[in-house]
Amino acid sequence: MTAKDKLPRSIRAHSAPDGGTPRYNARESWRIFGIMAEFVEATDRLSAIRPAVSIFGSARIPPDHMYYILAEQIARRLSDSGFTVISGGGPGIMEAANKGAFFGKSPSVGLNIQLPLEQTANPYQDISQTFRHFFARKFMFVKFAAAYVVMPGGFGTLDELLEAMTLIQTKKSQKIPIILVHGPFWQGLLDWFRDRLVADGMVNPEDLDLVQVIDTPEEVVEAIFKHYERRGFQPMPAEHDMMLNL
């Protein structure tokens, strides 16, 4: 039996008239160049923004919410301390992060994403970069970040948090501070990590040390500086090589 015989009929039915490769495969191949261009453009535009801190959180938080206000305060303090602040460029916590940095001393960067229900870019961005592909955008969050500040959020926020933890755990990325803000929101998840993942041997106990819980803007900035007090913010040669293989 050949590979062609094993393919479902639905795939063979969409083959070219001569029985060859489906026509849409050509479009898929050319799409790779668009992805490459997205990586190149973003890397070039963001190359001078270090040191930077990526801030994540819910897009659904209104400006009068305590989480919004806290994120804005954290971003402003980071910006005034010399850190570029990177967010997803949208509303909610993303807007709060950009707003705090926009009125601070360092750049405010928004990594926007094109969605079927289009995300509206917030107006507080010194540098705005738009992506079509989530994976290219997520790569930039990691590539340029000296720290992650994770505010309360939903699936997207959890996705960014767990990906960062995975990359550091597997040594595919340099170790950076991952700071969870507002302990009461995160405590249930951290308890589950300990009571299920660690207890069942899914992760090592020390893997939980990849994150720290902090509640105030002052302590967030202090924790980041403490992590880097014996080294610079630029990646070391070995870390730079590691990031090339991210």
Side-chain angles (χ1 to χ4, degrees), residues 222-233:
E222 182 182 344
I224 296 172
F225 275 114
K226 183 177 180 180
H227 179 86
Y228 289 99
E229 63 184 358
R230 295 184 180 178
R231 48 160 294 176
F233 288 103

Side-chain angles (χ1 to χ4, degrees), residues 86-152:
I86 305 173
S87 92
I93 297 297
M94 294 178 282
E95 178 182 288
N98 284 137
K99 184 178 180 181
F102 187 79
F103 292 105
K105 297 179 180 179
S106 303
S108 170
V109 176
L111 305 185
N112 303 277
I113 185 71
Q114 293 180 3
L115 298 173
L117 297 176
E118 188 170 359
Q119 172 177 294
T120 302
N122 71 68
Y124 304 107
Q125 302 176 45
D126 296 305
I127 300 173
S128 180
Q129 183 70 27
T130 300
F131 295 84
R132 295 183 61 190
H133 306 95
F134 266 113
F135 56 86
R137 177 179 182 244
K138 290 168 71 175
F139 175 84
M140 298 302 161
F141 279 125
V142 176
K143 178 177 176 62
F144 293 102
Y148 267 27
V149 174
V150 189
M151 300 293 299

Side-chain angles (χ1 to χ4, degrees), residues 165 168-170 193 198 202-211:
M165 293 179 68
I168 296 172
Q169 179 204 45
T170 57
F193 282 174
V198 173
M202 306 298 179
V203 300
N204 295 326
E206 58 268 25
D207 290 334
L208 300 190
D209 296 334
L210 294 175
V211 299

Side-chain angles (χ1 to χ4, degrees), residues 3-230:
K4 181 179 178 181
D5 294 326
K6 295 179 180 180
L7 288 175
R9 289 185 178 182
S10 60
I11 294 180
R12 295 203 300 267
H14 289 88
S15 297
D18 61 358
T21 304
R23 291 190 184 94
Y24 60 75
N25 275 10
R27 295 200 303 273
E28 287 292 306
S29 299
W30 280 103
R31 178 171 169 265
I32 294 173
F33 290 99
I35 296 170
M36 291 171 58
E38 197 160 88
F39 274 98
V40 171
E41 179 184 358
T43 300
D44 184 59
R45 288 199 68 199
L46 303 177
S47 59
I49 68 170
R50 289 190 177 101
V53 175
S54 294
I55 298 181
F56 304 96
S58 173
R60 304 182 183 190
I61 299 299
D64 59 350
H65 196 285
M66 63 169 289
Y67 296 158
Y68 185 108
I69 296 169
L70 182 57
E72 184 178 350
Q73 292 172 343
I74 290 170
R76 178 60 184 265
R77 188 168 289 269
L78 286 168
S79 180
D80 287 343
S81 299
F83 293 99
T84 295
V85 172
I86 305 173
S87 92
I93 297 297
M94 294 178 282
E95 178 182 288
N98 284 137
K99 184 178 180 181
F102 187 79
F103 292 105
K105 297 179 180 179
S106 303
S108 170
V109 176
L111 305 185
N112 303 277
I113 185 71
Q114 293 180 3
L115 298 173
L117 297 176
E118 188 170 359
Q119 172 177 294
T120 302
N122 71 68
Y124 304 107
Q125 302 176 45
D126 296 305
I127 300 173
S128 180
Q129 183 70 27
T130 300
F131 295 84
R132 295 183 61 190
H133 306 95
F134 266 113
F135 56 86
R137 177 179 182 244
K138 290 168 71 175
F139 175 84
M140 298 302 161
F141 279 125
V142 176
K143 178 177 176 62
F144 293 102
Y148 267 27
V149 174
V150 189
M151 300 293 299
F155 290 155
T157 302
L158 293 174
D159 178 44
E160 297 290 355
L161 167 62
L162 293 174
E163 179 162 27
M165 293 179 68
T166 301
L167 290 172
I168 296 172
Q169 179 204 45
T170 57
K171 303 188 185 306
K172 293 294 289 183
S173 176
Q174 63 179 333
K175 187 174 182 179
I176 64 174
I178 302 176
I179 298 170
L180 307 180
V181 178
H182 192 59
F185 180 87
W186 295 106
Q187 193 58 54
L189 180 65
L190 295 174
D191 289 343
W192 184 80
F193 282 174
R194 184 186 64 252
D195 297 339
R196 278 299 174 196
L197 300 187
V198 173
D200 290 349
M202 306 298 179
V203 300
N204 295 326
E206 58 268 25
D207 290 334
L208 300 190
D209 296 334
L210 294 175
V211 299
Q212 52 188 310
V213 180
I214 297 176
D215 288 334
T216 68
E218 298 83 1
E219 291 175 312
V220 168
V221 177
E222 182 182 344
I224 296 172
F225 275 114
K226 183 177 180 180
H227 179 86
Y228 289 99
E229 63 184 358
R230 295 184 180 178

